[in-house]
C-alpha cells in the first residue's frame, strides 16, 4: 500500500504534492472559520473585545507551546504518524468548540484544536524534506498555497453558504469545517509514502542514536527569524480578529465578508508569484522591508478608509503577510540537516507565535481601555515597523550548524 520514498516514481511525486497541498489546507480551515462569525459569538456569549482577543490569540499561543512537543512527536513516531495525529486533533477540537454555550468550553476546545495545528505546522517542513528532498522550494510553495486557500475558503463561504445551510448556527458551522480535515487525515494515513527503514545496528550491535528533538536555543539567527515571522503572524491574526467588529462599530458591517475575503484572497497572488522567484529572494532584506511598509500602509488604509478602499487595504495586507510567510517557511528545510529540520522549525514557531499571541490581546485591551475602535490597529501597525527594523538580519542567513 505504501511505496518507499527511496525509489520515487511519478505517481509518488504527484501523490506527495497532492497530500502536501491538502495538508496545507487542513492547517487553516478550522481556524479561519471563526472570524466571519465573531459578531455572532460576541453577542451570544456576551464577550468583551479583550475576550475576543483571547479567543483569536489562543491558537497562536498553542502554536508556540506545542511546537517543541510536536518536534518530539516527529522524532518518536515519524512524519506520517505525526501529521495524522495533528490533523485528527485539529478536527476533533474544531468540531467540539460550539458543543456548550460557555466561553471556557470554547477556549478549551480552541486549545485542543490549536495543539493539533501546531503539531502539523512543525511537521510540514520535515515532511517536505522527507518526501521531496530534491524539490524543497517548490514543495514548500505548494503546501503554503494550500494553507492560503485553506484561509480563503472559510472566510469566503462561512456567511453566504455554510451558515444558511446549518440554520444560522455558528456551532454547526464549526462542525462542517472539521469534516474535510478528517478526510485529509484519512488520505494521509492511506496514501502517504512509507518512511525509510531504520538504520541497522552498528558493528557492536548497538541501536542507532535516537533523533534529537530539543531545539538549539543558543542560535541567535533562529531568534531573529522567529521574531520576524512573529510580526507577520501577529499582523494576520489580529487583523482577522478585529476587522469584523471594527467595521460593524463604524456602520460598515456590509463590508465584513468582502474585507475578510480580500485579506485572505490577497495571499494567493503572493504564493503564485513566489513559486517562481522565492529562490532569488529568500536571502535578501528588501522584500521584508517592502512587505513591512506595505503592512503599515494597509493598516492605515483599513482604519481611515471606507467601503471598497477597506477591501483594497485588507487585500494588500494579505499579500504582504503571505510573501513574508512563504519566504521564512522555506528556510528550515533549506538550511538544516535532514534530522534537524523539525528542531529548527519548532524553535522558529515557538518564538514567532509567542510574539503573535500577545498582539491580539493588546489590541483588544487598547480598544476596551480607550473606547476607540481604531486603537486596536495600533499594535498591528507597530508589527510592520518592527519587521522593517529587523529585516537586515536576513542578510546573515547561514546553514544551521555551519
Amino acid at each position: 500500500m505504501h511505496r518507499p520514498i527511496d525509489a520515487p516514481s511519478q505517481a509518488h511525486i504527484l501523490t506527495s504534492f497532492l497530500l502536501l497541498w491538502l495538508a496545507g489546507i487542513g492547517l487553516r480551515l478550522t481556524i479561519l472559520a471563526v472570524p466571519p462569525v465573531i459578531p455572532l459569538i460576541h453577542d451570544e456569549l456576551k464577550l468583551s473585545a479583550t475576550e475576543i482577543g483571547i479567543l483569536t490569540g489562543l491558537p497562536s499561543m498553542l502554536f508556540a507551546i506545542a511546537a517543541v512537543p510536536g518536534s518530539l512527536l516527529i522524532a518518536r513516531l515519524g512524519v506520517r504518524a505525526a501529521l495524522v495525529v495533528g490533523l485528527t486533533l485539529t478536527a476533533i477540537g474544531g468540531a467540539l468548540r460550539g458543543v456548550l454555550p460557555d466561553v471556557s468550553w470554547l477556549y478549551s476546545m480552541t486549545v485542543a484544536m490549536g495543539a493539533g495545528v501546531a503539531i502539523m505546522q512543525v511537521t510540514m517542513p520535515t515532511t517536505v524534506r522527507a518526501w521531496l528532498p530534491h524539490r524543497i522550494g517548490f514543495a514548500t510553495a505548494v503546501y503554503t498555497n494550500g494553507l492560503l486557500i485553506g484561509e480563503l475558503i472559510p472566510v469566503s463561504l462561512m456567511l453566504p453558504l455554510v451558515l444558511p445551510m446549518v440554520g444560522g448556527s455558528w456551532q454547526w458551522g464549526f462542525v462542517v469545517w472539521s469534516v474535510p480535515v478528517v478526510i485529509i487525515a484519512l488520505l494521509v494515513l492511506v496514501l502517504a509514502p512509507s518512511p525509510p527503514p531504520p538504520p541497522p545496528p552498528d558493528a557492536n550491535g548497538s541501536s542507532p542514536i535516537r533523533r534529537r528533538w530539543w531545539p538549539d536555543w543558543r542560535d541567535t539567527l533562529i531568534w531573529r527569524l522567529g521574531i520576524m515571522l512573529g510580526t507577520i503572524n501577529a499582523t494576520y491574526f489580529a487583523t482577522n480578529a478585529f476587522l469584523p467588529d471594527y467595521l460593524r462599530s463604524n456602520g460598515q458591517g456590509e463590508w465584513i465578508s468582502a474585507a475578510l475575503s480580500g485579506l485572505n484572497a490577497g495571499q494567493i497572488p503572493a504564493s503564485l508569484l513566489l513559486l517562481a522567484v522565492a529562490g532569488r529572494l529568500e536571502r535578501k532584506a528588501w522584500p521584508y522591508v517592502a512587505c513591512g511598509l506595505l503592512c503599515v500602509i494597509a493598516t492605515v488604509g483599513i482604519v481611515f478608509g471606507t467601503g471598497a478602499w477597506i477591501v483594497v487595504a485588507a487585500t494588500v495586507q494579505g499579500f504582504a503577510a503571505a510573501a513574508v510567510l512563504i519566504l521564512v517557511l522555506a528556510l528550515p528545510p533549506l538550511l538544516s540537516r535532514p534530522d534537524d529540520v523539525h528542531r529548527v522549525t519548532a524553535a522558529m514557531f515557538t518564538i514567532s507565535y509567542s510574539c503573535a499571541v500577545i498582539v491580539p490581546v493588546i489590541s483588544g485591551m487598547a480598544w476596551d481601555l480607550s473606547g476607540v475602535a481604531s486603537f486596536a490597529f495600533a499594535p498591528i501597525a507597530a508589527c510592520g515597523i518592527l519587521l522593517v527594523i529587523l529585516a537586515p538580519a536576513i542578510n546573515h542567513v547561514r546553514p544551521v550548524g555551519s
Side-chain angles (χ1 to χ4, degrees):
M1 182 179 298
H2 302 292
R3 183 182 180 88
I5 61 173
D6 57 353
S9 65
Q10 190 69 20
H12 157 82
I13 294 172
L14 293 177
T15 300
S16 297
F17 278 129
L18 176 62
L19 292 178
L20 284 171
W21 186 73
L22 290 173
I25 291 177
L27 278 168
R28 290 295 182 267
L29 277 182
T30 56
I31 295 177
L32 271 296
V34 174
V37 296
I38 279 179
L40 298 178
I41 299 173
H42 190 165
D43 293 341
E44 185 170 330
L45 300 184
K46 298 178 173 56
L47 304 183
S48 67
T50 300
E51 288 173 318
I52 291 294
I54 294 173
L55 174 63
T56 56
L58 276 175
S60 296
M61 181 183 72
L62 265 296
F63 297 166
I65 294 174
V68 174
S71 174
L72 174 60
L73 198 64
I74 296 168
R76 297 296 180 260
L77 301 183
V79 168
R80 184 174 62 206
L83 192 54
V84 171
V85 169
L87 284 163
T88 303
L89 188 57
T90 298
I92 293 173
L96 295 180
R97 282 175 293 180
V99 167
L100 298 178
D102 177 73
V103 66
S104 298
W105 176 266
L106 177 62
Y107 285 168
S108 298
M109 292 301 100
T110 300
V111 166
M113 178 197 69
V117 176
I119 293 170
M120 292 173 60
Q121 288 194 146
V122 176
T123 306
M124 292 302 289
T126 310
T127 304
V128 167
R129 185 68 180 255
W131 291 358
L132 297 161
H134 304 298
R135 295 172 173 84
I136 288 176
F138 187 74
T140 300
V142 166
Y143 92 73
T144 308
N145 179 266
L147 180 151
L148 299 178
I149 290 176
E151 293 174 346
L152 175 61
I153 293 174
V155 299
S156 301
L157 299 182
M158 183 63 139
L159 295 181
L161 179 63
V162 174
L163 276 188
M165 185 174 67
V166 296
S169 168
W170 57 268
Q171 295 92 335
W172 279 106
F174 287 164
V175 174
V176 169
W177 291 112
S178 294
V179 172
V181 182
V182 174
I183 296 172
I184 295 169
L186 292 174
L187 290 173
V188 171
L189 183 63
V190 173
L191 300 177
S194 297
D202 59 24
N204 297 322
S206 301
S207 299
I209 298 175
R210 281 189 169 187
R211 297 174 72 184
R212 293 178 297 174
W213 60 274
W214 188 253
D216 180 7
W217 298 108
R218 298 168 298 177
D219 193 317
T220 58
L221 177 64
I222 289 177
W223 282 91
R224 286 180 289 180
L225 294 179
I227 294 172
M228 289 174 66
L229 182 58
T231 64
I232 286 302
N233 288 334
T235 295
Y236 175 74
F237 284 109
T239 302
N240 264 297
F242 291 98
L243 189 55
D245 271 353
Y246 174 72
L247 293 179
R248 188 175 67 163
S249 71
N250 282 352
Q252 300 188 80
E254 69 275 14
W255 292 99
I256 291 176
S257 183
L260 287 175
S261 297
L263 177 63
N264 292 282
Q267 299 179 94
I268 303 300
S271 72
L272 296 176
L273 177 63
L274 286 174
L275 279 171
V277 301
R280 296 195 293 270
L281 298 180
E282 61 192 19
R283 300 184 186 219
K284 301 212 170 13
W286 70 263
Y288 298 89
V289 173
C291 289
L293 292 175
L294 281 177
C295 286
V296 174
I297 294 170
T299 303
V300 172
I302 290 171
V303 172
F304 294 102
T306 57
W309 285 109
I310 294 176
V311 178
V312 172
T315 303
V316 172
Q317 187 88 293
F319 180 93
V324 175
L325 175 70
I326 296 168
L327 289 173
V328 175
L329 285 181
L331 292 176
L334 283 170
L335 301 177
S336 307
R337 294 182 295 270
D339 285 344
D340 284 341
V341 177
H342 58 292
R343 298 197 307 141
V344 174
T345 304
M348 288 182 60
F349 279 137
T350 299
I351 296 165
S352 68
Y353 284 106
S354 295
C355 298
V357 68
I358 192 126
V359 173
V361 177
I362 294 176
S363 291
M365 292 177 62
W367 185 340
D368 285 339
L369 294 176
S370 67
V372 180
S374 59
F375 275 34
F377 290 86
I380 299 174
C383 287
I385 296 172
L386 182 59
L387 176 60
V388 172
I389 294 173
L390 294 176
I394 202 65
N395 287 326
H396 305 292
V397 170
R398 55 174 171 75
V400 174
S402 65

